[in-house]
Amino acid sequence: MITSVKQISLLKPDDWHLHVRDGKILKGVLSHTADVFCRAIIMPNLDPPITTLNQAKEYKKRIIQSIPDGVSFTPLMTAYLTDDMSPDLLEIGFKERVFHGAKLYPVNVTTNSAYGVTDLSKIDNIFETMERIGMPLLIHGEVSDSNIDVFDREAVFIERHLQPLLKKFSSLKVVLEHITTIDAIDFVENSESDIAATITPHHLHINRNAMFNGGLRSDFYCLPTAKREIHRIALRQAATSGKPCFFLGTDSAPHTRRFKENSCGCAGIFNAPFALESYLKVFEEEQALDRFEAFASINGANFYGLPLNDERITLVKRDVSVPEIIDVGLAGDPNDFVKPFHSGEILGWSLESV
Ligand code: NCD
Ligand code: ZN
């Protein structure tokens, strides 16, 4: 008989895909991650985006200044690829450990991607350099072609762009970010290239129906969008498989109410406040709690070639209520608050000590 697990202790985890924004909101969103995670790969899609060494260093400073007192947290910065990014700048940035990777947003594919790459073949020199120096290429793997159905954009990207890219640059180190489909899982698992994928909590919990449940629900709108149930089930199997090519990346992407409750609601789900609890629910349901540490604290660091953290955290089986809405320090106006993922729900795990 399997006795139910009452607590779980693991190496302090890292978040390999995170948006913390900038300006006034930065402090209010960052604390939710910094309190629990040791490091995070910081997405560069600010407006204007992070494209220079100086911008990355300054942004890193602002993040460090926003870390709560007594908390140890390391932001790992990334560069935003544009059509005219200089390969030399990337090489210097990577060697000086200013950049831990470079993010490829196909132009107009998601929030603040207007400066993104218009045609992958225009930046072959970038890929050559990244392949040579072993710099991770982080990919938002969707086409932005409006003729392609929104739910097919990941699969089409893989076929049209990712496959040819890895044929040409067979040693390029790639993270396919926030995967949502069986097509992406199959591709990553069976590829001979050095490729891994991040998986978000929300794509493990919701399918595309969540966006249309009794009305149009922008709180469940993110990019890539959640897909059919068969994809969600496959993602749960991949995340809990223990395979080194899958690891934690929340893609926590806060937008205030005024931008979510809008006729053109922004894409992004703010899951940082209860990310670990959210993932743990899935691992418990899949009877894979023993594989959680690999997913949350080991596979990502190994892929990025970084040391494992040595601190540990413990989560205990105790209910926690997720608030309806979170004040991220912008103002007293509820329109400036952010709704967290699992808003108003009760989750069955909570943090004991950090
Ligand atoms: C992200 C954001 O808001 O910055 N949105 C999202 O839906 N995931 C951008 C991104 O990662 O696509
Ligand atoms: Zn993202």
Side-chain angles (χ1 to χ4, degrees), residues 17 19 43 103 178 251:
H17 183 126
H19 302 267
M43 287 296 135
K103 180 73 190 271
H178 40 51
D251 193 19

Side-chain angles (χ1 to χ4, degrees), residues 53-192:
L53 293 175
N54 215 32
Q55 282 173 319
K57 287 180 187 165
E58 291 299 314
Y59 185 30
K60 184 174 182 178
K61 255 193 230 161
R62 295 194 294 278
I63 295 173
I64 289 173
Q65 282 160 2
S66 307
I67 299 171
D69 289 344
V71 168
S72 137
F73 173 77
T74 307
L76 306 171
M77 311 310 289
T78 56
Y80 182 115
L81 295 181
T82 61
D83 284 354
D84 23 65
M85 168 63 77
S86 137
D88 293 345
L89 182 144
L90 276 188
E91 184 162 0
I92 295 167
F94 185 61
K95 291 195 167 151
E96 289 184 357
R97 308 190 73 73
V98 177
F99 295 134
H100 288 266
K103 180 73 190 271
L104 168 65
Y105 291 103
V107 69
N108 294 333
V109 78
T110 187
T111 312
N112 292 342
S113 58
Y115 307 85
V117 175
T118 57
D119 178 352
L120 263 58
S121 66
K122 286 190 180 162
I123 59 163
D124 271 1
N125 56 350
I126 295 281
F127 298 136
E128 263 159 36
T129 299
M130 293 183 70
E131 180 179 48
R132 175 170 53 76
I133 63 178
M135 181 176 191
L137 173 69
L138 320 182
I139 301 183
H140 184 115
E142 287 191 287
V143 290
S144 47
D145 183 342
S146 59
N147 294 320
I148 304 294
D149 188 287
V150 75
F151 297 105
D152 295 335
R153 289 182 190 175
E154 183 173 277
V156 171
F157 179 88
I158 292 169
E159 196 186 317
R160 270 196 203 166
H161 300 293
L162 187 56
Q163 241 161 5
L165 180 73
L166 292 177
K167 227 180 206 161
K168 209 159 167 188
F169 302 98
S170 58
S171 309
L172 191 61
K173 205 172 169 64
V174 168
V175 184
L176 189 55
E177 300 287 348
H178 40 51
I179 58 168
T180 60
T181 56
I182 294 171
D183 313 64
I185 296 168
D186 284 350
F187 186 79
V188 170
E189 277 182 337
N190 299 316
S191 172
E192 279 165 18

Side-chain angles (χ1 to χ4, degrees), residues 91-349:
E91 184 162 0
I92 295 167
F94 185 61
K95 291 195 167 151
E96 289 184 357
R97 308 190 73 73
V98 177
F99 295 134
H100 288 266
K103 180 73 190 271
L104 168 65
Y105 291 103
V107 69
N108 294 333
V109 78
T110 187
T111 312
N112 292 342
S113 58
Y115 307 85
V117 175
T118 57
D119 178 352
L120 263 58
S121 66
K122 286 190 180 162
I123 59 163
D124 271 1
N125 56 350
I126 295 281
F127 298 136
E128 263 159 36
T129 299
M130 293 183 70
E131 180 179 48
R132 175 170 53 76
I133 63 178
M135 181 176 191
L137 173 69
L138 320 182
I139 301 183
H140 184 115
E142 287 191 287
V143 290
S144 47
D145 183 342
S146 59
N147 294 320
I148 304 294
D149 188 287
V150 75
F151 297 105
D152 295 335
R153 289 182 190 175
E154 183 173 277
V156 171
F157 179 88
I158 292 169
E159 196 186 317
R160 270 196 203 166
H161 300 293
L162 187 56
Q163 241 161 5
L165 180 73
L166 292 177
K167 227 180 206 161
K168 209 159 167 188
F169 302 98
S170 58
S171 309
L172 191 61
K173 205 172 169 64
V174 168
V175 184
L176 189 55
E177 300 287 348
H178 40 51
I179 58 168
T180 60
T181 56
I182 294 171
D183 313 64
I185 296 168
D186 284 350
F187 186 79
V188 170
E189 277 182 337
N190 299 316
S191 172
E192 279 165 18
S193 300
D194 193 3
I195 181 166
T198 51
I199 303 180
T200 76
H202 42 279
H203 291 117
L204 299 173
H205 281 280
I206 59 169
N207 64 31
R208 63 190 193 174
N209 289 341
M211 286 182 286
F212 310 105
N213 185 9
L216 197 52
R217 292 180 180 263
S218 63
D219 291 321
F220 298 109
Y221 173 55
C222 64
L223 286 166
T225 55
K227 306 293 192 296
R228 285 179 182 278
E229 180 65 0
I230 46 164
H231 296 285
R232 185 183 77 95
I233 290 169
L235 286 166
R236 287 168 72 100
Q237 281 158 6
T240 58
S241 67
K243 292 186 182 165
C245 59
F246 299 117
F247 47 84
L248 186 157
T250 62
D251 193 19
S252 179
H255 294 279
T256 57
R257 299 313 298 146
R258 75 176 75 247
F259 292 102
K260 273 300 213 183
E261 288 178 14
N262 190 302
S263 63
C264 185
C266 290
I269 294 180
F270 182 45
N271 58 34
F274 294 88
L276 273 196
E277 295 86 340
S278 177
Y279 280 119
L280 264 181
K281 182 168 166 36
V282 173
F283 276 72
E284 183 176 37
E285 286 165 358
E286 298 296 327
Q287 300 184 355
L289 284 173
D290 56 330
R291 304 207 182 119
F292 187 57
E293 186 177 43
F295 178 76
S297 319
I298 296 174
N299 297 348
N302 285 346
F303 186 83
Y304 276 87
L306 293 170
L308 300 184
N309 301 319
D310 38 37
E311 275 178 78
R312 301 186 73 80
I313 57 165
T314 300
L315 288 114
V316 293
K317 203 138 173 42
R318 184 179 60 214
D319 284 355
V320 61
S321 303
V322 179
E324 295 279 347
I325 197 106
I326 290 186
D327 179 352
V328 284
L330 284 181
D333 182 344
N335 275 323
D336 292 317
F337 291 7
V338 182
K339 200 182 248 200
F341 185 49
H342 296 296
S343 164
E345 290 176 32
I346 292 177
L347 295 173
W349 288 90

